[in-house]
Amino acid sequence: MAVRANGAISGNTAAMSTGRGGVVRVMPENLTNPSVRTTRHILIADDVHILGWVFTARGAAWADAALFAARLIESGHSPAKAERLVSELPGWWAAPTGAVTGLIAIRTHFAEYLAQNGPIRLRIRRRRNVNAGQTWLRYRAG
């Protein structure tokens, strides 16, 4: 499966392992990957291929856009710019505002828990997740 620069997804189905020797096929427009980060992308010509689909699940397209926006904020973009950048991704405009804000809040609270109780080697990164989430929540609150 490939995601083109214009957001189009090529291929009819994507296969993923169940971890028990089975393979599940899902429609790509329903395939989400909440752990998308720059270290898991490869650019070939005009296609971006996403590697590392360990946390793949079926879900709303806007959820990937929201989680990617969070990564943009963590890397230094303002919430306004992050939302502007993801506005070109599939599903973003169909995203219920309250659901996006709720997802951000849940992700931020979970990151807060992990920043306090998670593996020590990951606590600094989780603190960055918390700071970005709080910044985005303040922006959305107006």
Side-chain angles (χ1 to χ4, degrees), residues 58-87:
R58 293 184 80 170
W62 63 261
D64 273 346
L67 294 170
F68 188 63
R71 298 269 185 209
L72 292 172
I73 295 166
E74 288 165 19
S75 68
H77 294 283
S78 71
K81 183 173 183 181
E83 288 191 10
R84 195 168 46 255
L85 290 169
V86 299
S87 70

